[in-house]
C-alpha cells in the first residue's frame, strides 16, 4: 500500500519524485508547507446510550492548529440522539472544516 | 426449559466479521439467521477504533471504525437477520448445538451452520513475563482504548507504551490528544512494528520518542505504577545487562500482541492451528468440522478490516450453501520469514485469496512458494512488515499439479530502524 | 467514647479470620481490625494453597501439634462454612538414593495405610507428565488443595454472620493499658478491649513492639509463582513435591481448585513488603518446575506473582502471652502449614484466652454460612433457575471465568464486602482469568462505581493509592502538535 516519495526543497520550490499519482505529489507539497491531518476524538454526549460520541474532521485540518481544535472540542456537549454523519460543528476555528459524528447514538432509555 | 431455536445460520459475535458473514449468508439465500453479540450493540472492536484507516479497499473511502460498522448495521436493518445483544455463548458442541445466556434465560440454538466470529483478545503482562510488582496502572492497549473512547475515562497521566504495533501507536496519539504525557513507545524489535503512516501521524507529529530494540524489564510501584525499567535487547530479544534505565510513569500500556479467542472453538473440538492460533480453515473459511466456519480475527489476526469483510463474506456464503467439500489439495505452512499463512488448507484455487504475514520487516523481498524442497513460484515484494499482511489471489499463484505440503517463505534484506 | 469489645483481633489474614470465626461461637463482642481495605491481603494472599491433610511434621513442635489439631476441624468447616478443599492426592518425588531415604522416612512417620511408595512406572501411570528420571514417589492420596482466598473469606463470612465486626483501613498505631483493659489506637478510632490477639502476620513484630514486647527477629522470604491457563488442566492431577531441603518444601507443581496449574515457590531473601517477581526468582521456579515436569508449558502462563513468608530461626510458630499485659496474645512466624493449621491455631488461642481469664460461653445457635452460588460451577438446570429468579445471573461480566452481574452485586453487598477490584477478584474470580481483566475491566469500573455510588477517586485496585483511573476525558491540557 502506498509509495515512497522523495521531497526536496530547491530554493523556494518543492520537488517531489517517486509519486505514483498526482494526489501523492500534492500530498507531499502540503506535508512540507502546511501539513494537514484528519483529526478524530470524542466529545461529550448527554443522555445517550453511551457517554462519548466519536467525531472526525470532515476534511484534513491544519496540523499546527490541532491543539486548539482539541481544546475547542473538549468544550462541546452534544445531546442524544445523534446520527452518524451529523454535523456537530461547522468551519472550526475558521479553517473551513466541519466536525461530524462517526457513530449513531440513540437516546438512553430510562 | 431453555429457549429452543432452530435456524439456518448462527453467527457468534457481531463485530465486522459477524456482520459481514451474516449479510453474505442472507445474500446467498439463508433466511433464519441469528447474530449473538455479548455487548449491548453491534460493531465489536470497531466501536472503539475511532481513528481513520478502514474501508479503503471495500468502499474506496477512508472511514473511521464506527463509520465502517455503521455501513453494515444499516445493511442488516434491511434484512430480517435477528440480532440478540447482551447474549454470551458459553458452549458449542461438535454437533453445532449452541448454548447461550442473557438476562432472559438460557438459549439453545440448533443450526445448519455456525459461523465463529468472536474476534481476539490481547496478550498480557504475565504472558510475556515482565517481572516486578503488580500495581494498578497496567493496561493492555485495547482496554485503555475502550475506557478512553467509550467510557470517557483516563487510565493515567504519564504513560509508557510497550509495543510499536498500530494499536500502541494509535493510543500514543489518542492519549496525547487527551492531555496525557506519553513518555516513550518502547519496541523490542530493531524496526517499527506498525505502519509508517502511523509512526508519522502518531509519534512524529507529537514528538513522542520511539525506542527500538528495548523492552520493559521491571515494573515499580506497589499500589500504582511509579515507573518502569527498560533495557536494551540483543538480536534474540534478550535484555543486555548494564543497559537498564528507569522511566518514570504512572501507567504501562501493553501493545504486545493479539490472540484469537477460541475458547468456544475448543469446546466444539475444532482443530486449531499453532501458528495462526485459530481454526484450520480452507479458502472458503470452513473449519475441519462440517457446518462450522470461522472468519475474522478469530481465525487469525488480520490488520485490515477490509480483509476481514472479504473473508467473512466467503464464510457467510459457505454457511448458506453448506456444500459438500472437495478434498484438501494443498496444506500450507509458514517457512522462514513468514509468521502465518491463512487459509492453511486449500481445496480449489479458482477463487479466493492467500494471506501471508511476514515475521519481520523485509526490503527488496521475494515471497517463495516451495513444494518438496523446490520453489514453484515466487513474487517480488518491495517492502513488507509484520503489521501488513501480503495478499494474493489464489488463482494468481502457479500451483503445482500434485497436491501436498506447501511451504511459504520470504527472503530479502532485513530492515533496521523505521 | 471508645467502643468496647471483649476481644479485638488484629489482622484479617486466614489466621485472624479463623480466630474470629472460632470465637464467634461464643457469647462475645468481637472486633477484627485490618490495616488494608479487605481480608486476605498479606501472607494469606499469595501462597501455594495446599491443605496438608496429613501431618508429617516433627512431633513436639507447636506447628506440628496445631496442624494435627486443625485436621480434625475440617469436617466442621465443611458443615458450618460450606467450604470444601479439593482432594487431589500428592506425589513426593525422589530422584536419587538420598531422596528415596526421605520417602521411606515419610512412610515411617506417617504410617498411613493408603499411602505408599511407588515405582517409576506406577508413578508415570498416575502422572504421565512427570519426569522419567525419578527413582520413586511417595503417594499420599489424601492431600488437598484449596484457595487461600476462599478459606479466609469462608472464615470471615462465618464470623460476620455470627456477630464479628470487621473494621478495615484500621492500622494499629499503639496500645495503652487502663487497668485490665487495653486501649487500641488506630488513625480513625480508639477501641477498648479486655483481650487483644495480635495475628498481624508480617506486621506482628511491629505490633508487638508497640506493646513493649520483645519478639525474636524473624526473617522474610519471598516465593515466586507461575500460574498457567486452564487449558493446561490435566497436566498434573496431583500435587507434585520435590524432596524438601533445609529451607523449604521446595518448588512444586500443583493443580488449583479452579482448574489452573501452579508452579512455585522458590525461597529467596526479601523485605516484608516486597512482593515483586524477579527474573532470577522466576528462573529458579522454572528450573524447579521443569525438574518435576520436563515439558512444563510456560507459554501457557497467565500470571506471575510472589508471596512472602515470615520465618523465625527455629522455624516454628510462636504464640505467647504478652509480658506487658495479661490480656494480649501475640502470634508470630506463622509460615507453612499456616493455612491448614489456622483452625488449630484458633482453638489454641481460645485456650490461651481462657487461661488468661476470658469466659467462653457457647452460643445457643450458630448461623451456618452457605457459599454463594458460582455460576461457572452450576449445571445448566441450575443456571436457568438462577436467571429466572434474577436476570442479573444472565449477564456475563467476566468471560474467562464465566462470572455474572449477580455475583458482582453479591460480592459488593456481603459481609465483609468487596470494596476494591482485588476484593472482587478474591470473592468471584473477575480479573483472575486468562485475559487478566482485559475484558471485564471494560465494564466493571462503571458497574462498580454505580453500585457503590463512588467516584473515580475511590475506585481502587487494592490499596488506598491504587486508583485504577485518574479522571475523565475532556479536560485537555497542553497538547502540542507540531509540523515536522
Amino acid at each position: 500500500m502506498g509509495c515512497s516519495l522523495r521531497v526536496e526543497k530547491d530554493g523556494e520550490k518543492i520537488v517531489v519524485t517517486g509519486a505514483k499519482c498526482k494526489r501523492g505529489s500534492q500530498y507531499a507539497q502540503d506535508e512540507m508547507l502546511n501539513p494537514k491531518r484528519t483529526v478524530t476524538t470524542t466529545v461529550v454526549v448527554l443522555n445517550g446510550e453511551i457517554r462519548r460520541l466519536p467525531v472526525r474532521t470532515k476534511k484534513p485540518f491544519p496540523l499546527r492548529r490541532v491543539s486548539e481544535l482539541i481544546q475547542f472540542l473538549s468544550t462541546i456537549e452534544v445531546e442524544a440522539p445523534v446520527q452518524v454523519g451529523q454535523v456537530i460543528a461547522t468551519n472550526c476555528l475558521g479553517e473551513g472544516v466541519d466536525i461530524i459524528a462517526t457513530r449513531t447514538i440513540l437516546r438512553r432509555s430510562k | 426449559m431453555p429457549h429452543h431455536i432452530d435456524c439456518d445460520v448462527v453467527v457468534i459475535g457481531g463485530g465486522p466479521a459477524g456482520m459481514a458473514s451474516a449479510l453474505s449468508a442472507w445474500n446467498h439465500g439463508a433466511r433464519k439467521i441469528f447474530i449473538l453479540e455479548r455487548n449491548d450493540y453491534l460493531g465489536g472492536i470497531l466501536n472503539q477504533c475511532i481513528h481513520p484507516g478502514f474501508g479503503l479497499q471495500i468502499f474506496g473511502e477512508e472511514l473511521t471504525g464506527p463509520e465502517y460498522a455503521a455501513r453494515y448495521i444499516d445493511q442488516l436493518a434491511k434484512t430480517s437477520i435477528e440480532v440478540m445483544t447482551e447474549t454470551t455463548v458459553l458452549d458449542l458442541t461438535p454437533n453445532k448445538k449452541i448454548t447461550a445466556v442473557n438476562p432472559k434465560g438460557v438459549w439453545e440454538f440448533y443450526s445448519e451452520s455456525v459461523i465463529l466470529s468472536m474476534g481476539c483478545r490481547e496478550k498480557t503482562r504475565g504472558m510475556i513475563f515482565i517481572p516486578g510488582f503488580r500495581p494498578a496502572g497496567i493496561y493492555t492497549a485495547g482496554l485503555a482504548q475502550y475506557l478512553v473512547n467509550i467510557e470517557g475515562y483516563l487510565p493515567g497521566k504519564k504513560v509508557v507504551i510497550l509495543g510499536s504495533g498500530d494499536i500502541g501507536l494509535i493510543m500514543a496519539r489518542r492519549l496525547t490528544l487527551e492531555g496525557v504525557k506519553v513518555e516513550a513507545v518502547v519496541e523490542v524489535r530493531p524496526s517499527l512494528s506498525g505502519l509508517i503512516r502511523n509512526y508519522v501521524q502518531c509519534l512524529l507529529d507529537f514528538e513522542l520518542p520511539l525506542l527500538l530494540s528495548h523492552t520493559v524489564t521491571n515494573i515499580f510501584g506497589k499500589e500504582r505504577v511509579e515507573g518502569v525499567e527498560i533495557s536494551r535487547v540483543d538480536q534474540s530479544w534478550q535484555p543486555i545487562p548494564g543497559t537498564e534505565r528507569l522511566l518514570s510513569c504512572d501507567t504501562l500500556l501493553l501493545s504486545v500482541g493479539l490472540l484469537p479467542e477460541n475458547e468456544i472453538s475448543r469446546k466444539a473440538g475444532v482443530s486449531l492451528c499453532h501458528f495462526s492460533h485459530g481454526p484450520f480453515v480452507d479458502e472458503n473459511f470452513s473449519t475441519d468440522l462440517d457446518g462450522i466456519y470461522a472468519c475474522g480475527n478469530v481465525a487469525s489476526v488480520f490488520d485490515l478490516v477490509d480483509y476481514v469483510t472479504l473473508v467473512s463474506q466467503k464464510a457467510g456464503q459457505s454457511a448458506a450453501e453448506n456444500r459438500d467439500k472437495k478434498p484438501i489439495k494443498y496444506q500450507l505452512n509458514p517457512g522462514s520469514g513468514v509468521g502465518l499463512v491463512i487459509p492453511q488448507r486449500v481445496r480449489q484455487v479458482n477463487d479466493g485469496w492467500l494471506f501471508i504475514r511476514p515475521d519481520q520487516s523485509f526490503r527488496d523481498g521475494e515471497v517463495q512458494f516451495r513444494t518438496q524442497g523446490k520453489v514453484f513460484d515466487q513474487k517480488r515484494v518491495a517492502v513488507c512488515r509484520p503489521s501488513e499482511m501480503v495478499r494474493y489471489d489464489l488463482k494468481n499463484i502457479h500451483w503445482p499439479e500434485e497436491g501436498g505440503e506447501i511451504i511459504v517463505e520470504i527472503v530479502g534484506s532485513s530492515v533496521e530502524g523505521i | 467514647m471508645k467502643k468496647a469489645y471483649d476481644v479485638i483481633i488484629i489482622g484479617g489474614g486466614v489466621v485472624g479470620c479463623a480466630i474470629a470465626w472460632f470465637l464467634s461461637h461464643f457469647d462475645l463482642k468481637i472486633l477484627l481490625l485490618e490495616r488494608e481495605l479487605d481480608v486476605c491481603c498479606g501472607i494469606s494472599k499469595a501462597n501455594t494453597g495446599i491443605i496438608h491433610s496429613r501431618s508429617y511434621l516433627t512431633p513436639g513442635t507447636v506447628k506440628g501439634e496445631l496442624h494435627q489439631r486443625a485436621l480434625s476441624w475440617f469436617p466442621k468447616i465443611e458443615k458450618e462454612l460450606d467450604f470444601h478443599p479439593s482432594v487431589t492426592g500428592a506425589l513426593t518425588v525422589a530422584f536419587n538414593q538420598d531422596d528415596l531415604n526421605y520417602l521411606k522416612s515419610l512412610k515411617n512417620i506417617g504410617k498411613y495405610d493408603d499411602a505408599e511408595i511407588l515405582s517409576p512406572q506406577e508413578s508415570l501411570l498416575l502422572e504421565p507428565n512427570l519426569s522419567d528420571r525419578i527413582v520413586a514417589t511417595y503417594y499420599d492420596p489424601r492431600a488437598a488443595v484449596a484457595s487461600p482466598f476462599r478459606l479466609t473469606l469462608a472464615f470471615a463470612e462465618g464470623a460476620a454472620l455470627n456477630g464479628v465486626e470487621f473494621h478495615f483501613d484500621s492500622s494499629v498505631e499503639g496500645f495503652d493499658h487502663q487497668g485490665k483493659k487495653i486501649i487500641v489506637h488506630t488513625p480513625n478510632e480508639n477501641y477498648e478491649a479486655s483481650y487483644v490477639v495480635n495475628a498481624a502476620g508480617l506486621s506482628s513484630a511491629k505490633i508487638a513492639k508497640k506493646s513493649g514486647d520483645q519478639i525474636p527477629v524473624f526473617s522474610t522470604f519471598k516465593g515466586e509463582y507461575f500460574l498457567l491457563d486452564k487449558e493446561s488442566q490435566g497436566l498434573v492431577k496431583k500435587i507434585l513435591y520435590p524432596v524438601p531441603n533445609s529451607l523449604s518444601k521446595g518448588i512444586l507443581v500443583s493443580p488449583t481448585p479452579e482448574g489452573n496449574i501452579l508452579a512455585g515457590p522458590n525461597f529467596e531473601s526479601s523485605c516484608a513488603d516486597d512482593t515483586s517477581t524477579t527474573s532470577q526468582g522466576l528462573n529458579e521456579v522454572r528450573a524447579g518446575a521443569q525438574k518435576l515436569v520436563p515439558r512444563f508449558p510456560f507459554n501457557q502462563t497467565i500470571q506471575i506473582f510472589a508471596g512472602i513468608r515470615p520465618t523465625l530461626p527455629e522455624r516454628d510458630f510462636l504464640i505467647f502471652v504478652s509480658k506487658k499485659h495479661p490480656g494480649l496474645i501475640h502470634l508470630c512466624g506463622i509460615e507453612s502449614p499456616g493455612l491448614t493449621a489456622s483452625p488449630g491455631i484458633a482453638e489454641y488461642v481460645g485456650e490461651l484466652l481462657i487461661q488468661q481469664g476470658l469466659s467462653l460461653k457457647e452460643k445457643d445457635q450458630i448461623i451456618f454460612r452457605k457459599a454463594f452460588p458460582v455460576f461457572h460451577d452450576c449445571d445448566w438446570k441450575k443456571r436457568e433457575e438462577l436467571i429466572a429468579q434474577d436476570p442479573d445471573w444472565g449477564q456475563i461480566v467476566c468471560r474467562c471465568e464465566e462470572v455474572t452481574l449477580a455475583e458482582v452485586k453479591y460480592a459488593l453487598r456481603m459481609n465483609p464486602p468487596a470494596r476494591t477490584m482485588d476484593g472482587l477478584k478474591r470473592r468471584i474470580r473477575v480479573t483472575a482469568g486468562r485475559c487478566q481483566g482485559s475484558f471485564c475491566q471494560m465494564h466493571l469500573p462503571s458497574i462498580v462505581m454505580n453500585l457503590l455510588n463512588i467516584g473515580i477517586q475511590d475506585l481502587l485496585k487494592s490499596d488506598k493509592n491504587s486508583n485504577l483511573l485518574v479522571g475523565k476525558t475532556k479536560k485537555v491540557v497542553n497538547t502540542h502538535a507540531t509540523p515536522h
Side-chain angles (χ1 to χ4, degrees), chain B residues 330 368-372 374-378 397-400 405-407:
Chain B
Y330 304 108
Q368 293 180 344
F369 299 85
R370 282 172 191 277
T371 185
Q372 315 221 20
K374 285 210 300 229
V375 177
F376 62 84
D377 197 0
Q378 58 274 329
I397 298 171
H398 301 114
W399 300 92
E405 201 201 354
I406 310 279
I407 311 268

Side-chain angles (χ1 to χ4, degrees), chain B residues 1-2 102 121 129 131-134 139-140 146 151-154 176 178 205 222-224 263 266, chain C residues 231 273-274 276-277 384 394 434 438 442-443 446 449 461 463 465-468 470-474 482:
Chain B
M1 287 299 295
N102 65 21
R121 56 187 164 87
F129 310 109
F133 286 92
R134 291 190 294 160
Y139 285 99
T140 50
Y146 177 89
E151 297 282 326
Y153 296 140
L154 284 175
T176 303
E178 290 294 343
D205 279 2
K222 287 202 71 207
E223 301 183 39
R224 174 84 201 194
E263 280 71 30
R266 278 200 188 88
Chain C
E231 272 307 303
D273 58 358
D274 181 2
S276 64
T277 48
E384 236 190 305
R434 60 175 57 97
S438 293
M442 290 198 270
H443 305 286
S446 286
M449 287 194 281
K461 179 180 186 287
D463 330 71
N465 298 313
S466 64
N467 296 76
L468 287 167
V470 302
K472 295 191 178 160
T473 59
K474 305 307 128 193
T482 54

Side-chain angles (χ1 to χ4, degrees), chain B residues 39-292:
Chain B
N39 235 330
D40 289 348
Y41 36 71
L42 292 169
I45 205 71
L46 290 174
N47 287 309
Q48 63 187 66
C49 296
I50 67 167
H51 52 277
F54 306 85
L56 203 47
Q57 299 204 17
I58 299 276
F59 297 112
E61 301 173 59
E62 240 219 313
L63 303 175
T64 62
E67 286 169 320
Y68 191 94
R71 302 282 170 105
Y72 290 90
I73 294 171
D74 283 345
Q75 289 183 55
L76 278 171
K78 299 191 177 104
T79 70
S80 58
I81 293 172
E82 291 223 37
V83 176
M84 288 176 62
T85 54
E86 272 191 295
T87 301
T88 307
V89 172
L90 293 181
D91 195 29
L92 173 65
T93 68
N95 287 335
K96 299 172 289 178
K97 175 182 157 202
I98 291 173
T99 316
V101 296
N102 65 21
K104 294 204 173 75
V106 175
W107 300 76
E108 286 176 353
F109 294 85
Y110 297 84
S111 184
E112 281 299 308
S113 302
V114 173
I115 301 178
L116 305 171
S117 52
M118 297 86 74
C120 61
R121 56 187 164 87
E122 301 181 273
K123 274 200 179 160
T124 63
R125 180 259 184 103
M127 291 173 182
I128 59 173
F129 310 109
I130 304 178
F133 286 92
R134 291 190 294 160
I138 302 174
Y139 285 99
T140 50
L143 170 59
Q145 188 181 53
Y146 177 89
L147 291 171
V148 170
N149 291 340
I150 309 285
E151 297 282 326
Y153 296 140
L154 284 175
K157 296 198 175 87
K158 210 171 169 207
V159 177
V160 168
I161 299 178
L162 178 59
S164 70
D166 291 313
I167 306 177
L169 299 176
I170 294 286
M171 280 312 288
R173 174 177 64 191
R174 187 75 191 96
L175 289 170
T176 303
L177 290 184
E178 290 294 343
V180 176
K181 178 109 183 27
V182 175
E183 283 294 301
V185 174
V186 177
E187 167 60 51
V188 72
R189 294 172 190 270
S191 55
L192 182 76
S193 273
L195 301 172
I196 293 206
R197 157 205 147 115
N198 283 330
Y199 171 68
V200 169
Q201 297 193 9
C202 300
L203 299 193
L204 285 185
D205 279 2
F206 301 96
E207 295 176 343
L208 302 178
L210 172 65
L211 298 171
L212 297 174
S213 295
H214 278 80
T215 195
V216 172
T217 46
N218 215 332
I219 300 175
F220 299 108
K222 287 202 71 207
E223 301 183 39
R224 174 84 201 194
V225 172
E226 287 167 22
V228 297
E229 176 191 86
I230 58 167
S231 305
R232 196 162 238 294
V233 299
D234 62 25
Q235 276 142 332
S236 331
W237 298 5
Q238 293 309 304
I240 300 171
T243 65
E244 299 88 9
R245 205 154 50 96
L246 186 59
L247 288 181
S248 161
C249 60
D250 70 357
T251 309
L252 173 63
L253 221 65
L254 298 173
S255 167
V256 293
L258 298 173
L259 289 170
E261 189 150 18
N262 279 287
E263 280 71 30
I264 296 293
S265 321
R266 278 200 188 88
K267 287 199 169 173
V270 167
S271 298
L272 297 179
C273 165
H274 71 274
F275 51 80
S276 65
H277 303 289
F280 280 107
V281 291
D282 64 17
E283 70 276 9
N284 291 316
F285 290 82
S286 255
T287 67
D288 66 334
L289 292 186
D290 279 335
I292 302 185

Side-chain angles (χ1 to χ4, degrees), chain A residues 16-84:
Chain A
V16 181
T17 41
K20 285 202 179 132
C21 67
K22 236 195 199 158
R23 258 203 316 185
S25 225
Q26 186 60 49
Y27 172 79
Q29 294 220 39
D30 286 342
E31 272 298 287
M32 290 289 282
L33 299 170
N34 182 18
K36 296 201 177 92
R37 301 283 182 258
T38 298
V39 179
T40 53
T41 185
T42 56
V43 298
V44 172
V45 54
L46 302 172
N47 297 311
E49 299 165 299
I50 59 172
R51 284 191 299 271
R52 291 289 181 271
L53 170 70
V55 298
R56 66 178 297 166
T57 52
K58 201 161 177 195
K59 318 188 294 204
F61 185 89
L63 177 58
R64 73 190 192 292
R65 296 193 76 195
V66 165
S67 284
E68 284 176 69
L69 177 63
I70 292 294
Q71 295 271 29
F72 166 65
L73 290 174
S74 74
T75 65
I76 286 188
E77 288 178 348
V78 174
E79 184 82 32
V82 58
Q83 293 298 315
V84 53

Side-chain angles (χ1 to χ4, degrees), chain C residues 221-421:
Chain C
F221 289 93
K222 187 193 297 190
E224 305 191 30
Y225 296 87
F226 287 85
L227 185 70
L228 299 187
D229 193 311
K230 287 181 179 182
E231 272 307 303
S232 32
Q233 186 169 20
L235 177 78
V236 301
K237 292 189 226 27
K238 300 172 189 3
I239 307 164
L240 300 184
Y241 286 105
V243 164
N245 56 46
S246 57
L247 295 173
S248 78
K249 287 198 172 57
I251 294 165
L252 44 93
V253 174
S254 175
T256 70
E258 297 81 19
N260 302 89
I261 298 286
L262 188 65
N266 67 327
F267 196 84
E268 60 187 270
S269 188
S270 170
C271 302
D273 58 358
D274 181 2
T275 52
S276 64
T277 48
T278 63
S279 356
Q280 194 175 329
L282 292 171
N283 284 336
E284 283 174 26
V285 177
R286 254 184 223 274
Q290 279 170 325
K291 187 168 183 199
L292 293 170
V293 178
R295 281 200 284 272
F296 193 88
F298 289 100
N299 61 355
Q300 293 276 337
T301 302
I302 60 172
Q303 187 53 286
I304 48 177
F305 64 96
I308 304 281
R309 340 112 152 116
T311 64
L312 289 167
E314 318 77 60
R315 305 304 298 270
D316 197 3
F317 297 167
L318 185 60
I319 304 174
F320 65 101
V321 179
S322 160
K323 290 194 169 52
K324 299 294 177 176
H325 193 286
L328 177 55
I329 296 176
H330 297 296
L331 288 86
C332 176
I334 315 292
E335 51 164 333
S336 177
L339 185 72
T340 313
S342 53
I345 295 172
E347 185 186 71
Y348 179 61
V349 166
E351 287 166 8
L352 281 181
L353 289 168
I354 293 176
Q355 173 195 294
Q356 298 304 100
L358 179 62
S359 138
L360 291 189
K361 180 171 162 282
E362 274 199 54
K363 282 179 177 164
D364 289 327
Q365 231 185 341
I366 291 295
I367 304 174
F368 288 4
R369 170 218 186 230
K370 206 84 200 86
F372 197 65
V374 176
F375 185 87
H376 173 69
D377 296 338
C378 295
D379 62 28
W380 282 109
K381 186 158 179 291
K382 177 77 180 161
R383 288 175 174 186
E384 236 190 305
E385 280 169 26
L386 288 169
I387 299 176
Q389 280 164 29
D390 179 359
D392 287 342
W393 284 101
Q395 201 174 323
I396 302 282
V397 150
C398 161
R399 176 67 193 85
C400 301
E401 299 289 315
E402 296 180 334
V403 185
T404 65
L405 181 61
E407 291 157 274
V408 173
K409 287 184 174 176
Y410 176 76
L412 295 172
R413 269 192 270 111
M414 65 181 270
N415 200 1
R419 278 291 172 269
T420 62
M421 214 44 87

Side-chain angles (χ1 to χ4, degrees), chain C residues 146-165:
Chain C
S147 160
F149 310 149
R150 290 267 158 100
L151 181 56
T152 307
L153 281 162
F155 283 137
E157 239 190 316
L161 278 171
N162 289 289
V164 175
E165 282 178 50

